[in-house]
């Protein structure tokens, strides 16, 4: 898929999932608890948002001719090495990827209170910003 088309799809998915999280946030800020169905929607929206970011990271590396790591963690480290993302953001990316892994593989041990706090504080916003940022040619910092 052409990188510009991939970016357009990525942005669309980011807008959709972010809108759902923003809606959940508004409900939480109104002091109404989310229903179990709404909580499930929050978990799914976060998972899709992060999966989308991992996919974009790998597409950027592929488009730059770089080897694409299997590990999402390694993909973001490679983007930091190329200057696409800030090295200082790696801790946040590592935590986000870890959250995605927990949602997918360790779903019986999710602390919903922590997830809802993440939504209340809009901690998903940096993922959306990455997804919405236009793709640029990636090259070595040599």
């Amino acid at each position: 898929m052409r990188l510009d088309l991939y970016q357009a799809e990525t942005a669309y998915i980011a807008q959709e999932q972010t809108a759902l999280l923003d809606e959940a946030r508004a409900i939480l800020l109104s002091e109404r608890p989310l229903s179990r169905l709404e909580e499930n929607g929050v978990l799914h929206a976060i998972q899709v948002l992060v999966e989308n970011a991992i996919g974009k990271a790998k597409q950027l590396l592929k488009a730059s001719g770089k080897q694409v790591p299997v590990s999402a963690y390694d993909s973001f480290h490679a983007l930091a090495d190329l200057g696409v993302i800030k090295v200082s953001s790696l801790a946040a990316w590592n935590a986000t990827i870890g959250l995605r892994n927990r949602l997918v593989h360790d779903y019986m041990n999710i602390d919903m209170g922590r997830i809802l706090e993440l939504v209340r504080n809009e901690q998903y916003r940096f993922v959306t910003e990455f997804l919405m940022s236009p793709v640029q040619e990636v090259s070595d910092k040599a």
Side-chain angles (χ1 to χ4, degrees):
M1 177 183 276
R2 286 186 358 219
L3 196 54
D4 61 329
L5 296 176
Y6 188 87
Q7 175 61 39
E9 284 298 313
T10 295
Y12 174 76
I13 293 167
Q15 288 173 335
E16 292 291 310
Q17 299 309 310
T18 300
L20 293 170
L21 291 171
D22 288 344
E23 189 176 324
R25 181 177 183 268
I27 292 169
L28 291 168
L29 293 176
S30 77
E31 300 297 321
R32 176 176 77 74
L34 296 180
S35 70
R36 288 179 37 208
L37 182 63
E38 289 167 329
E39 286 182 354
N40 233 5
V42 163
L43 295 174
H44 181 72
I46 291 170
Q47 179 184 337
V48 170
L49 200 61
V50 178
E51 289 284 352
N52 195 12
I54 293 167
K56 180 177 179 177
K58 292 183 177 194
Q59 283 293 323
L60 289 171
L61 292 170
K62 181 179 177 183
S64 71
K66 304 297 178 204
Q67 185 172 7
V68 179
V70 172
S71 162
Y73 298 106
D74 292 342
S75 296
F76 280 92
H77 281 271
L79 288 182
D81 289 343
L82 293 172
V84 175
I85 63 170
K86 295 179 181 176
V87 172
S88 61
S89 73
L90 283 176
W93 280 113
N94 287 342
T96 301
I97 293 163
L99 173 60
R100 175 258 172 221
N101 291 346
R102 178 163 258 185
L103 292 175
V104 173
H105 302 292
D106 195 21
Y107 44 84
M108 289 192 275
N109 292 311
I110 301 296
D111 181 344
M112 200 63 200
R114 289 183 70 190
I115 299 292
L116 297 179
E117 194 60 30
L118 177 151
V119 172
R120 247 186 232 95
N121 294 330
E122 296 181 285
Q123 289 177 288
Y124 53 90
R125 238 350 122 203
F126 85 100
V127 179
T128 303
E129 290 168 7
F130 170 73
L131 289 166
M132 298 300 294
S133 66
V135 290
Q136 300 170 352
E137 287 297 313
V138 179
S139 60
D140 279 320
K141 296 184 336 184

